[in-house]
Amino acid sequence: MRLFLLLSFSTLMLLEGYMFTYETDKQTLLEFKSQVSKGKRAVLSSWNNSFPLCKWTWVKCGKKHKRVTGLNLGGLQLGGVISPSIGNLSFLISLNLTSNGFGGTIPQELGSLFRLKHLFMSFNFLKGEIPTSLFNCSRLVELHLHSNSLSQVVPWELGSLRKLVLLDLGRNNLKGKFPASLGNLTSLEELSFVANIMEGEIPNDIARLANMVDLQLATNNFSGVFPQAIYNMSLLENLNIIDNGFFGSLRSDIGNLLPHLQGLFIGNNSFSGAIPATLPNISNLQNLGMEINSLTGNLEFFGALSNCTQLSELLVAYNRLAGDLSTSIANLSTNINILELQSNFISGSIPHDNGNLINLNILSLGNNLLTGALPTSLGKLSGLEEFSVGSNKMSGEIPSSLGNITRLESLWLFNNSFEGSIPPSIGKCSHLLYFYLQDNKLDGTIPQEIMQIAPLVLLNMSNNLLTGSLPETVGSLEHLGTLSVAHNRLSGKLPETLGKCLLMVQLDLQGNSFDGTIPDISGLLGIKEVDFSNNNLSGSIPGYFANFSSLEHLNLSINNFEGKVPTEGKFKNATIVSVSGNINLCGGVLELKLKPCKHSSFSKKVLIGISVGVSALLVLFIAFVSLCWFRNRKRNKTNEASPSTLGTFHEQISYGDLRNATNGFSSSNLVGSGCFATWSFEEFYGRV
């Protein structure tokens, strides 16, 4: 019944195709324009009745019938929805709506475009299902629906598009199984289901796709053993099945069955067994990605890969490969720019001879069993952008020649036994973004030159034996997001310039001997983690920490901080803040279990100061009052020497006493004489 309806629909569409005219095409495009978002219609300004249809921009007409045969609207950033009237353009051969902002669903009416060969609708916001009516577009050669929001299953009806050469349904939300009907598309050369949620095993029906050149099934939930049907695609050049649930081993003769492979990507599955010895037979191989599996064996195949002279990427990280890192890696292609061998069981040392590796951009050897020192010849890899030997068993000093790799962006040397000082020459790596030195035995001071690497985003020197202070020039690292110098032997005051690292997210300074107060870092509003614990820092806890909205961890434990712990903002949450081991702290929220604050040391000092001041004023006041009293008393004594005082004296001595005392007022007791008289005591006393 369903087949009958589809055939009826097909016949109806075919008949209607001959009923439309030039005028119908014009009205169709005007209707299409009306469904475009108003703010985006300006680019279609020529679409009006004042211009001939075939003169409209982005429109192509046939020479004979003057009907619309091509509509190229790709990249115009149009919005709105796709008008169902598009199905009236019965002469349309090519429709390009790529890279716009169309939403809604794909109109079923597209199925009436029986002449359509090229349909481009990638990079929009289309949703819903893929129209089953597309089966009627039997001339369709290309169908691009990449990067939309299409859902539901892939319709089996697509298997009737026998002329289809390219089918790209990647980056949608398609689900269900791989349609076995697609095995009918024997002309298909490119097929992509990348980044959907499809599942199940790959059907053997696709073994008929003998013309397949590019097969992209990555990032789905496909499962089962490596699809045996793929071995029949002898013309295959690119195979990408990463990020799925495939398992089992690869056939040992894969290199003979797929001799034209240029890219083989099978990473992040569960493949096991040895890497096939025939892979080096694929002389045109450029990219080999087998990372994140359980592949075993030794590194002997490295030597055979010298036959792949165009090899540019070799990714075998996160497997179970073992054996010595032999000098054979130096014989790889001169075109190789990415070599990722990390997280295996590779032993030995890094060869001193770089050989053909002069064009390397990425060399990842971390998390293996490598020993020995870093060869100075590494400095000749001038194009290296990422170098990793973290988590090995390497030793010796870090060669200063690493400073010659001026394009270096990531340097991972952590978790080894490197010793000696940090080479100041690293400061010449002016593009360095990530510098991991933690967990080694490095000593000496932190070179000032490191603080001159302006782009630095992460600097981790923790768990070493570094001495000296944190350079004042750290403030010049304006892009620094993570700074960790924890658990070293650093000392001195923390530089005030730390407050200039405004993009700081993580600041780990614990386990040193820093002293003094916390510098003003109130501008680090995006910081998430601050650890100042196990130092000799003092002073009060800055209240601005309370306002750090992104703060997740603040550790101030085991220092000499004093005073009251704030209780606002982030300090309300005891799971974020740790202040234990500071005996002079008090207050804070109850969960911190600190002693209550009676008076802070600051308040005591103020109280003592006030008391002394008041006492001094009181003493001055008393002294002033006393002085005034003594002056008044003296003035009163002076007044007592006045006539009234003599009168009182006179009243106390009798005349007889005076007479007797002066021998009868004898002249020998004369008091004095003047111009007019001579006075005796008798006369003087009488006058008085």
Side-chain angles (χ1 to χ4, degrees):
M1 182 64 180
R2 184 176 182 183
L3 181 60
F4 173 75
L5 291 175
L6 289 173
L7 290 174
S8 300
F9 179 80
S10 176
T11 303
L12 181 61
M13 294 300 102
L14 186 62
L15 290 173
E16 288 186 352
Y18 291 100
M19 295 170 57
F20 299 116
T21 64
Y22 169 94
E23 189 62 31
T24 306
D25 285 359
K26 178 185 289 188
Q27 294 305 316
T28 294
L29 292 185
L30 290 175
E31 171 62 22
F32 180 92
K33 178 181 176 180
S34 70
Q35 298 300 308
V36 172
S37 302
K38 289 184 178 180
K40 304 291 185 178
R41 295 177 190 171
V43 294
L44 304 178
S45 59
S46 65
W47 290 24
N48 58 67
N49 290 316
S50 301
F51 288 90
L53 172 63
C54 295
K55 295 293 184 180
W56 291 3
T57 53
W58 327 116
V59 175
K60 180 180 180 182
C61 292
K63 295 181 180 180
K64 183 178 180 181
H65 301 287
K66 304 300 181 184
R67 300 287 304 279
V68 176
T69 59
L71 193 57
N72 185 10
L73 303 178
L76 297 183
Q77 304 299 315
L78 302 175
V81 297
I82 301 172
S83 172
S85 65
I86 196 76
N88 297 336
L89 300 175
S90 56
F91 275 72
L92 197 63
I93 296 174
S94 177
L95 175 59
N96 184 1
L97 302 180
T98 299
S99 299
N100 282 287
F102 289 115
T105 59
I106 300 174
Q108 287 281 351
E109 287 77 4
L110 280 177
S112 63
L113 303 178
F114 62 92
R115 289 185 173 89
L116 195 63
K117 292 183 179 181
H118 311 281
L119 179 57
F120 303 90
M121 305 182 102
S122 298
F123 300 102
N124 281 283
F125 301 102
L126 300 170
K127 57 185 179 179
E129 63 182 9
I130 299 172
T132 56
S133 62
L134 285 178
F135 87 97
N136 188 55
C137 302
S138 58
R139 301 182 187 181
L140 204 59
V141 175
E142 295 180 85
L143 176 55
H144 297 260
L145 299 176
H146 187 91
S147 295
N148 280 284
S149 298
L150 300 171
S151 57
Q152 306 305 316
V153 299
V154 179
W156 65 267
E157 288 85 356
L158 293 182
S160 64
L161 301 176
R162 303 293 183 106
K163 294 185 179 181
L164 206 59
V165 173
L166 190 152
L167 176 59
D168 187 355
L169 305 180
R171 300 196 179 280
N172 282 283
N173 297 313
L174 299 171
K175 57 186 179 180
K177 295 185 176 182
F178 191 117
S181 64
L182 296 187
N184 298 327
L185 306 180
T186 55
S187 297
L188 203 59
E189 296 179 4
E190 298 182 36
L191 173 62
S192 176
F193 286 145
V194 166
N196 281 285
I197 48 177
M198 299 177 69
E199 60 186 9
E201 298 184 4
I202 306 300
N204 288 327
D205 303 72
I206 68 168
R208 300 197 299 269
L209 305 182
N211 292 311
M212 185 66 68
V213 173
D214 194 339
L215 180 58
Q216 304 285 335
L217 306 178
T219 317
N220 279 281
N221 297 319
F222 292 125
S223 58
V225 298
F226 185 89
Q228 298 299 303
I230 292 177
Y231 291 117
N232 291 339
M233 301 177 183
S234 59
L235 299 180
L236 199 60
E237 295 180 0
N238 290 291
L239 174 62
N240 188 349
I241 58 173
I242 66 171
D243 298 330
N244 279 288
F246 295 116
F247 55 87
S249 59
L250 301 177
R251 284 180 55 165
S252 60
D253 57 350
I254 185 174
N256 300 328
L257 298 173
L258 303 176
H260 299 290
L261 274 180
Q262 297 177 13
L264 175 60
F265 301 95
I266 63 170
N268 200 14
N269 282 283
S270 298
F271 291 117
S272 57
I275 295 176
T278 58
L279 277 178
N281 295 343
I282 309 174
S283 58
N284 292 324
L285 193 62
Q286 298 176 17
N287 307 99
L288 179 57
M290 312 179 85
E291 72 281 9
I292 317 178
N293 281 288
S294 298
L295 299 173
T296 56
N298 54 39
L299 305 184
E300 291 180 359
F301 74 96
F302 271 25
L305 283 176
S306 60
N307 183 53
C308 303
T309 57
Q310 299 182 46
L311 190 65
S312 62
E313 295 184 11
L314 177 57
L315 317 176
V316 291
Y318 299 97
N319 278 286
R320 299 179 180 178
L321 302 176
D324 282 356
L325 185 65
S326 63
T327 56
S328 59
I329 68 168
N331 296 326
L332 293 173
S333 165
T334 56
N335 292 316
I336 196 162
N337 53 62
I338 300 179
L339 180 57
E340 295 189 353
L341 309 178
Q342 71 268 28
S343 297
N344 281 285
F345 299 97
I346 300 173
S347 55
S349 59
I350 300 176
H352 287 271
D353 184 8
N354 296 324
N356 293 337
L357 304 182
I358 56 175
N359 291 315
L360 268 182
N361 298 134
I362 298 176
L363 177 58
S364 297
L365 303 172
N367 197 21
N368 278 290
L369 304 173
L370 296 175
T371 55
L374 291 173
T376 57
S377 57
L378 287 171
K380 297 179 181 179
L381 304 180
S382 57
L384 207 59
E385 297 175 2
E386 180 179 322
F387 177 56
S388 171
V389 291
S391 293
N392 277 283
K393 298 181 179 181
M394 304 190 72
S395 57
E397 295 188 356
I398 299 173
S400 60
S401 61
L402 291 184
N404 297 332
I405 313 175
T406 56
R407 293 176 57 185
L408 204 59
E409 296 179 0
S410 298
L411 182 55
W412 308 61
L413 305 179
F414 66 92
N415 195 19
N416 281 282
S417 295
F418 293 123
E419 55 191 9
S421 59
I422 301 171
S425 61
I426 300 294
K428 295 189 295 183
C429 301
S430 57
H431 294 88
L432 196 62
L433 300 174
Y434 305 97
F435 192 13
Y436 294 86
L437 278 172
Q438 70 269 27
D439 300 307
N440 280 287
K441 298 178 181 179
L442 298 168
D443 55 26
T445 60
I446 300 175
Q448 294 281 351
E449 290 82 356
I450 301 297
M451 303 303 164
Q452 298 172 5
I453 307 175
L456 206 57
V457 172
L458 185 149
L459 177 59
N460 193 337
M461 300 179 172
S462 60
N463 294 302
N464 279 286
L465 305 172
L466 299 174
T467 56
S469 61
L470 186 61
E472 188 75 24
T473 50
V474 68
S476 62
L477 301 177
E478 297 179 354
H479 301 283
L480 196 62
T482 297
L483 173 62
S484 178
V485 293
H487 303 295
N488 279 282
R489 298 176 180 178
L490 299 171
S491 58
K493 290 180 169 52
L494 295 177
E496 289 290 335
T497 56
L498 270 176
K500 295 182 179 180
C501 302
L502 300 181
L503 298 181
M504 190 77 75
V505 174
Q506 180 175 341
L507 181 59
D508 293 334
L509 308 180
Q510 69 269 25
N512 285 285
S513 298
F514 293 120
D515 56 31
T517 59
I518 296 177
D520 183 4
I521 58 173
S522 58
L524 311 187
L525 300 179
I527 202 160
K528 293 183 178 180
E529 178 178 325
V530 179
D531 197 332
F532 289 153
S533 64
N534 288 276
N535 279 286
N536 297 318
L537 297 171
S538 58
S540 59
I541 296 176
Y544 55 71
F545 283 127
N547 302 321
F548 284 0
S549 59
S550 300
L551 192 63
E552 298 175 357
H553 178 69
L554 174 62
N555 192 350
L556 305 175
S557 301
I558 314 179
N559 278 286
N560 299 315
F561 294 117
E562 59 184 1
K564 184 177 181 181
V565 176
T567 56
E568 300 299 319
K570 292 294 181 177
F571 287 97
K572 293 180 180 179
N573 190 346
T575 62
I576 291 178
V577 178
S578 178
V579 294
S580 61
N582 291 276
I583 61 175
N584 293 321
L585 286 178
C586 63
V589 295
L590 294 177
E591 290 83 355
L592 294 178
K593 299 180 180 180
L594 297 175
K595 61 186 178 183
C597 296
K598 295 181 180 179
H599 292 289
S600 66
S601 58
F602 175 77
S603 299
K604 289 180 180 178
K605 291 178 182 178
V606 172
L607 185 60
I608 292 172
I610 293 174
S611 300
V612 170
V614 170
S615 299
L617 289 174
L618 184 60
V619 168
L620 289 174
F621 177 74
I622 293 173
F624 177 75
V625 171
S626 299
L627 180 62
C628 292
W629 184 78
F630 280 119
R631 284 183 176 179
N632 288 335
R633 183 177 181 185
K634 185 176 181 181
R635 189 178 293 114
N636 290 337
K637 286 183 178 181
T638 304
N639 291 337
E640 288 174 358
S642 64
S644 61
T645 303
L646 292 174
T648 302
F649 180 78
H650 169 69
E651 292 175 355
Q652 293 177 347
I653 302 175
S654 66
Y655 178 79
D657 292 335
L658 287 173
R659 184 184 178 93
N660 293 331
T662 59
N663 295 318
F665 299 107
S666 168
S667 60
S668 60
N669 295 316
L670 185 66
V671 174
S673 63
C675 298
F676 301 101
T678 300
W679 295 341
S680 65
F681 269 103
E682 180 183 29
E683 292 173 321
F684 177 80
Y685 190 79
R687 288 180 179 274
V688 175

